[in-house]
Amino acid sequence: MKIVAAKKILKANDQIAEENRARFDAAGVFVVNLVGSPGCGKTTLVEGLIRQWGGRLAVAVIEGDIAGSVDAERIDALGIPVVQINTEGACHLDAMMIAAAARDLDLEATNLLIVENVGNLVCTAGFDLGEHLRVVVLSVSEGDDKLIKYPAIFQGSHAMVITKMDLLPHTNFRVAEAIAGLKRLAPDARAFQVAALRGEGIAELAGWLAAQQAGRREPRRRS
Ligand code: MG
Ligand code: ZN
C-alpha cells in the first residue's frame, strides 16, 4: 500500500499551475478562475459578461462539471470557443485538467480565458489552476454566513460577486454583512452586486475585469 499525502498532491498541482500561468502569459491570455456553489449563477454571469463585452475582447471559456455539457452548450450558443471538462466525480478542477483543456483552445487568439470551476466552495480553494485572478460568486439565496463557514475560498479571491440581487427582498441576506466579511478576509478584494438575468451590475464587473486584463495590476494569489 502506498499513501500519498494531500500536501504532496497540492505541491505537484502548484508546479503545473505555474507552468500553465507561464504558458498563458507567453500567449497573452489573462485567466479568471470563477468559483462558487452549484446554482449560484456562475454560467449566467459568464453569459452576461460575454454579451456585455460584445466581441471587444477575444474570450474563451473552460467549463468544469462532474458530468454533462449543458453549461458549455450555453457558451457555445453565444459563438464563444469553449471546452468542457468532465471531472467524472472530482469536485474541483486541478491544474493538470486545465493544461489538457487549454490544448484544445487557440491561446494566441485569446485575450481572456474564463474557467468556470466545479460548483464547490471547499476544495476549489486549494487548487491553483494557473489563473491570474480568482473570483468567487455568492448568490443572495445562499446566505451571508458562507463567508464565516468557508473562509478560505474568500480569503484567496480577488473579487466577490454577489448574484441574484433581484431576489434580495425574498431573502434574509445582508449585503453589508457580506461585504464586511470579505474585507476582513481579503482586505484588497473588490465586491460587486449583480442581477445577471436583468443585466444589472454586469457593466461594472465587465469593465473591472477588462481593466485587469489590460493592466494585469492584481498580484498573483498566494497559495
Ligand atoms: Mg454553471
Ligand atoms: Zn474537490
Side-chain angles (χ1 to χ4, degrees):
M1 188 178 80
K2 204 176 170 204
I3 298 172
V4 180
K7 238 184 186 163
K8 236 179 179 176
I9 293 172
L10 283 176
K11 209 176 160 198
N13 180 82
D14 283 352
Q15 198 176 326
I16 299 165
E18 286 304 331
E19 289 166 18
N20 287 350
R21 198 152 25 234
R23 196 160 151 235
F24 293 137
D25 284 341
V29 184
F30 189 73
V31 182
V32 178
N33 179 10
L34 199 60
V35 296
S37 304
C40 67
K42 295 184 293 301
T43 312
T44 302
L45 189 64
V46 174
E47 288 173 321
L49 288 169
I50 288 168
R51 289 201 182 95
Q52 180 70 35
W53 286 317
R56 288 189 295 277
L57 271 173
V59 184
V61 176
I62 293 175
E63 285 289 344
D65 283 290
I66 290 173
S69 59
V70 285
D71 286 356
E73 284 159 26
R74 287 165 63 180
I75 304 303
D76 186 61
L78 298 175
I80 297 295
V82 57
V83 177
Q84 175 80 55
I85 297 173
N86 277 159
T87 61
E88 296 175 344
C91 46
H92 58 269
L93 295 177
D94 64 35
M96 208 182 303
M97 296 178 198
I98 296 304
R103 276 180 219 122
D104 289 329
L105 290 169
D106 183 356
L107 293 181
E108 302 297 331
T110 304
N111 304 136
L112 180 67
L113 172 62
I114 300 178
V115 178
E116 183 185 334
N117 216 314
V118 179
N120 184 335
L121 284 176
V122 186
C123 43
T124 49
F127 285 82
D128 185 357
L129 304 180
E131 74 270 21
H132 299 95
L133 278 189
R134 195 172 83 200
V135 174
V136 59
V137 179
L138 177 65
S139 61
V140 297
S141 51
E142 290 168 77
D144 54 71
D145 57 348
K146 296 300 167 288
L147 288 110
I148 292 163
K149 292 183 173 183
Y150 305 96
I153 195 78
F154 294 92
Q155 238 153 20
S157 292
H158 296 94
M160 171 178 76
V161 183
I162 304 174
T163 53
K164 309 189 188 184
M165 280 298 292
D166 45 332
L167 301 182
L168 190 65
H170 307 285
T171 72
N172 56 7
F173 190 94
R174 297 163 299 174
V175 174
E177 197 67 29
I179 293 173
L182 179 70
K183 293 295 160 196
R184 275 193 297 274
L185 293 167
D188 298 328
R190 291 282 308 261
F192 295 90
Q193 300 170 40
V194 309
L197 286 178
R198 294 185 180 184
E200 291 166 11
I202 288 283
E204 194 190 351
L205 176 63
W208 181 76
L209 286 171
Q212 301 309 307
Q213 184 273 333
R216 301 190 168 198
R217 276 180 247 109
E218 292 290 314
R220 278 180 191 170
R221 175 166 64 89
R222 267 172 282 134
S223 49

